[in-house]
Amino acid sequence: VKEDGRNGLRFFAPEMQAHTQRSLELAAGLKDAARKGELFLVYQPQRALGSGALVGAEALLRWRHPQWGLVSPAEFIPIAEQSGAITAIDFWVVEQAAQQLRAWDAAGLPPLVVAVNVSAAQFARPQLAEELLHILQRVDVSPQRIEVELTEAVALKHPELAETTIRRLHDMGFKVALDDFGTGYSSMSYLKRYTIDKLKIDQSFVRELAEKTSDMAIVTAIVRMAHSLHLSTLAEGVETAEQAALLHDCGCDEIQGYWYSRPLEPRAFEAFAKGLPQR
Ligand code: C2E
Ligand code: CA
Ligand code: CA
Ligand code: CA
């Protein structure tokens, strides 16, 4: 590895080529991954801290690649965003989630809200809200049952368009959640500008909650501010009972994380929900 500049370059080249090759194949494969049945959703339960009730689930995308097995969304979503395949994929996710809600309703589960991740680039589509509503109408699910998660990246390129799109979603009855809250550069200005219903407090503030009084202070402040703006709060990545108890002390409304449950396939989710004490 201790090569000079020229050889160092040669040393890294094959590795980079392999990486590019995989990216290209993933990009090609993504175009019809949904049609081939390679994509599926898992659902991570969300729990209210006061009552302990199951209140919703976040839909998380999985891709079982014929050659590479399970590929992480952290790897393929950015590729889909670059290739443009993300639009069709995001719509597919919303339709799947809506159909899942109907199946769970029919199975006697409580009326849950399913949160879906919508890529930042979509918020520059002026027709996004109508497109999502249309999908729900086809499946006959109310927009009140779907929470659209967005990240701060939505406003990077087209802040005005994003503002309009988010307001339309909100006015149509969709719930809107700001994901990974606290990790970006402009979290506060988002609260002022966008019609948001919920803040998802990023896992980075939860991880060392028990060890760092500074994290307790930050989370407490976020929750207070959110509540005074009539927003609810959900903490992500809760892995221990101690974190859950501390979040309850902070006044946080909901939690999601491995402590409560990992993301589950639909049938496992249904079994999980039915195994809980009824509200
Ligand atoms: P995210 O929206 O912040 O999702 C939370 C991630 O944290 C998920 O990873 C979830 O499995 C993981 N997680 C949940 N609880 C815990 C915990 O207690 N501890 C730890 N260490 N991790 C936890 P996942 O499923 O790999 O998703 C990664 C990212 O991929 C998501 O981050 C989201 O940005 C993106 N993504 C996933 N599904 C979709 C999708 O359908 N559409 C779009 N556009 N993006 C998606
Ligand atoms: Ca999310
Ligand atoms: Ca998140
Ligand atoms: Ca994240």
Side-chain angles (χ1 to χ4, degrees), residues 58 117 149 151 179-181 200-203 236 256:
E58 178 176 4
N117 293 282
E149 291 195 6
T151 61
D179 202 359
D180 303 340
F181 184 76
K200 295 194 79 176
I201 302 170
D202 191 69
Q203 175 173 21
E236 298 190 282
Q256 177 184 341

Side-chain angles (χ1 to χ4, degrees), residues 45-57 101 104-105 108-114 144-145 175 198 253-254 260 269 272-279:
Q46 299 176 331
R47 174 185 209 175
L49 271 171
S51 65
L54 173 70
V55 287
L101 271 170
W104 284 335
D105 286 352
L109 263 58
L112 303 170
V113 169
V114 171
Q144 270 93 0
R145 308 283 305 278
K175 295 196 165 66
K198 183 188 280 184
D253 303 289
E254 295 173 12
Y260 189 42
F269 186 96
F272 176 86
K274 287 187 164 164
L276 295 172
Q278 295 301 305
R279 261 189 275 184

Side-chain angles (χ1 to χ4, degrees), residues 40-42 44 58-62 71-78 81 86 89-90 92-94 115-120 122 149 151 179-180 200 202-203 206-207 236-240 243 256-263:
F40 62 101
L41 292 176
V42 290
Q44 187 168 36
E58 178 176 4
L60 293 159
L61 192 56
R62 298 291 178 262
V71 183
S72 162
E75 180 178 12
F76 73 78
I77 294 288
E81 284 172 343
I86 193 68
I89 290 174
D90 279 347
W92 181 87
V93 166
V94 171
V116 294
N117 293 282
V118 174
S119 289
Q122 311 285 31
E149 291 195 6
T151 61
D179 202 359
D180 303 340
K200 295 194 79 176
D202 191 69
Q203 175 173 21
V206 174
R207 206 173 288 125
E236 298 190 282
V238 179
E239 294 182 349
T240 69
Q243 289 166 349
Q256 177 184 341
Y258 295 166
W259 175 63
Y260 189 42
S261 172
R262 291 190 172 250

Side-chain angles (χ1 to χ4, degrees), residues 133-175:
L133 186 66
H134 190 112
I135 293 170
L136 294 193
Q137 285 170 341
R138 233 173 31 224
V139 185
D140 195 17
V141 164
S142 153
Q144 270 93 0
R145 308 283 305 278
I146 297 288
E147 186 164 85
V148 175
E149 291 195 6
L150 50 99
T151 61
E152 287 190 16
V154 294
L156 280 184
K157 282 194 186 143
H158 304 283
E160 285 82 18
L161 272 179
E163 189 176 349
T164 309
T165 304
I166 293 166
R167 173 152 297 122
R168 278 212 193 129
L169 286 168
H170 182 84
D171 291 348
M172 286 175 182
F174 287 93
K175 295 196 165 66

Side-chain angles (χ1 to χ4, degrees), residues 21-33 36-40 62-72 75-76:
Q21 187 60 28
R22 180 175 159 107
S23 302
L24 287 173
E25 287 184 34
L26 291 179
L30 272 170
K31 271 185 276 181
D32 44 13
K36 288 182 176 164
E38 295 167 6
L39 297 183
F40 62 101
R62 298 291 178 262
W63 183 13
R64 203 184 313 279
H65 190 279
Q67 188 180 345
W68 284 301
L70 271 186
V71 183
S72 162
E75 180 178 12
F76 73 78

